[in-house]
């Protein structure tokens, strides 16, 4: 059976399970009914604006609470969902749930900017932009309040289908965030033409910052490049004060990582925001800028 990961947050899967057909089948069947059984949830991790030292928005991260195996990390089940053709349905649930949550926050006077992660399969969908537009409209949310994170590798996959989606998102006013930047091989020229507003430096560079001059140079160069293209820069996976200090000096705009806050359920996020900014009026928590 699966073992508890350190800290008890997630199950780690033993290597043999990757290839264990019975286990895969069990997970597949469980995942098929996960939405109906209400087992999916979004957790939210704040992005911290370095200059205002406050939350400028949150990233929605998917969690699957398996009735027997406990919380399963997206690194495990997103890949399964893609293989079994379930990612479309799950992705739609994420869009709907994020918009529902934004509307709930709005009703409490909180204009929260939310970023969702999109898979390559979703980008290849015929009418992803239309679907997102409908969800936004149904919940009365401004398109500018939603950000879509796509990995650099996916962003560079310049097919007619993805281009169609990028155009559609730009048309409705939803911007892209280029996730895990630095792990792919971007063409600068292509990056310039994406409707992107934000670039997220991959955590692998962040974790090397304190002992690698090369990582520091890389981050400096990426920040310069992003700013030249008019993109704001988020550093992801910030875990230490030392990393934060280097990133601040390098000119990063926003931080995200365990040093500031872990992903948390919406209810816990509200308490976190209130503890951090007790004197803010409700909608002052999310000033204008990129989510
Ligand atoms: P990502 O979009 O790059 O998200 C960042 C991941 O880093 C999250 O893992 C987050 O919990 C983790 N993280 C944040 N700060 C720290 C830190 O300081 N240290 C460390 N070690 N980790 C940190 P998570 O939630 O397990 O998600 C993993 C990946 O799964 C995400 O990477 C994203 O690619 C994918 N994912 C998550 N939710 C969704 C979703 O709704 N749809 C799709 N298609 N993919 C999703
Ligand atoms: Mg992301
Ligand atoms: Mg990322
Ligand atoms: Mg990442």
């Amino acid at each position: 059976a699966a073992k508890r990961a350190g800290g008890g947050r997630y199950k780690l899967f033993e290597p043999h399970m990757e290839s264990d057909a019975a286990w895969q089948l069990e997970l597949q069947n469980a995942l098929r009914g996960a939405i109906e059984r209400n087992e999916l949830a979004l957790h939210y991790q704040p992005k911290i604006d370095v200059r205002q030292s406050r939350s400028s928005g949150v990233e929605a991260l998917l969690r699957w609470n398996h009735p027997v195996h406990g919380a399963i990390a997206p690194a495990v089940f997103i890949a399964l969902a893609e293989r079994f053709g379930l990612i479309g349905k799950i992705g739609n649930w994420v869009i709907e749930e994020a918009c529902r949550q934004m509307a709930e926050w709005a009703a409490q006077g909180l204009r929260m900017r939310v970023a969702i992660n999109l898979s390559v399969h979703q980008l290849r969908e015929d009418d992803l932009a239309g679907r997102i537009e409908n969800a936004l409209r149904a919940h009365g949310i401004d398109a500018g309040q939603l950000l879509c994170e796509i990995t650099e590798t996916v962003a560079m996959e310049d097919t007619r289908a993805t281009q169609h989606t990028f155009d559609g998102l730009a048309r409705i006013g939803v911007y892209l965030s280029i996730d895990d930047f630095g792990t792919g091989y971007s063409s600068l020229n292509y990056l310039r033409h994406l409707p992107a507003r934000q670039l997220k430096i991959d955590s692998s560079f962040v974790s090397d910052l304190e002992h690698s001059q090369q990582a520091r140079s890389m981050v400096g160069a990426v920040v310069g490049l992003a700013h030249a293209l008019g993109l704001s820069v988020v550093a992801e996976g910030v875990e230490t004060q030392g990393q934060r200090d280097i990133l601040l000096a390098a000119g990063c705009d926003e931080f995200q990582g365990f040093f500031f806050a872990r992903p948390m359920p919406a209810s816990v996020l509200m308490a976190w925001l209130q503890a951090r900014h007790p004197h803010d009026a409700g909608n002052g928590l999310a000033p204008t800028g990129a989510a």
Side-chain angles (χ1 to χ4, degrees):
K3 281 189 176 141
R4 278 265 164 217
R9 268 166 197 272
Y10 294 116
K11 300 283 185 180
L12 278 184
F13 288 79
E14 288 160 10
H16 74 268
M17 288 179 168
E18 267 301 294
S19 53
D20 183 331
W23 168 247
Q24 296 261 323
L25 189 64
E26 186 200 324
L27 267 192
Q28 177 186 348
N29 288 332
L31 192 52
R32 268 188 211 290
I35 295 180
E36 285 74 18
R37 286 192 306 271
N38 229 353
E39 293 168 1
L40 296 184
L42 290 179
H43 284 191
Y44 299 90
Q45 185 179 35
K47 294 176 181 176
I48 313 292
D49 186 302
V50 299
R51 268 162 291 278
Q52 313 192 48
S53 74
R54 61 164 72 200
S55 172
S56 54
V58 292
E59 176 176 8
L61 294 156
L62 189 57
R63 298 290 178 262
W64 175 22
N65 298 304
H66 188 286
V68 177
H69 303 293
I72 300 181
V76 173
F77 72 85
I78 296 272
L80 276 181
E82 283 177 353
R83 213 173 319 146
F84 299 136
L86 297 170
I87 194 68
K89 195 176 162 199
I90 290 175
N92 291 344
W93 182 87
V94 170
I95 294 166
E96 173 60 28
E97 173 61 12
C99 291
R100 189 204 62 74
Q101 185 61 66
M102 280 191 274
E104 191 180 313
W105 279 326
Q108 298 166 22
L110 183 62
R111 187 187 149 87
M112 182 65 83
R113 249 172 274 94
V114 175
I116 57 172
N117 291 281
L118 297 180
S119 73
V120 65
H121 296 258
Q122 285 177 286
L123 290 171
R124 291 193 194 124
E125 248 177 60
D126 239 10
D127 197 26
L128 181 72
R131 180 189 300 284
I132 290 177
E133 185 176 33
N134 287 339
L136 289 167
R137 190 180 296 140
H139 291 282
I141 306 294
D142 288 340
Q145 230 179 300
L146 182 75
L147 205 68
C148 289
E149 296 195 3
I150 56 169
T151 62
E152 180 192 12
T153 321
V154 168
M156 293 308 129
E157 188 186 86
D158 186 13
T159 64
R160 195 181 301 169
T162 55
Q163 196 54 57
H164 171 77
T165 298
F166 294 151
D167 292 345
L169 290 173
R171 180 179 48 75
I172 66 173
V174 169
Y175 284 90
L176 297 178
S177 170
I178 311 298
D179 208 347
D180 302 344
F181 189 82
T183 57
Y185 302 91
S186 291
S187 138
L188 299 189
N189 193 45
Y190 184 59
L191 204 57
R192 194 161 66 89
H193 293 294
L194 285 175
R197 156 166 296 190
Q198 181 176 86
L199 187 152
K200 300 183 76 175
I201 297 180
D202 190 63
S203 52
S204 59
F205 297 103
V206 174
S207 62
D208 284 350
L209 278 178
E210 283 163 296
H211 31 259
S212 162
Q213 175 58 47
Q214 207 179 10
R216 287 194 289 276
S217 305
M218 171 78 189
V219 165
V222 168
V223 171
L225 159 72
H227 286 168
L229 293 172
L231 303 171
S232 86
V233 181
V234 181
E236 64 176 15
V238 184
E239 291 185 346
T240 69
Q241 173 82 45
Q243 291 165 358
R244 175 207 165 274
D245 293 346
I246 295 168
L247 290 161
L248 185 66
C252 273
D253 303 292
E254 290 168 72
F255 301 128
Q256 201 183 345
F258 295 172
F259 180 69
F260 298 93
R262 287 180 178 261
M264 48 196 142
S267 55
V268 180
L269 177 72
M270 281 308 267
W272 183 88
L273 288 169
Q274 272 151 14
R276 233 180 122 89
H277 310 293
H279 306 300
D280 278 353
N283 64 7
L285 290 171
T288 49

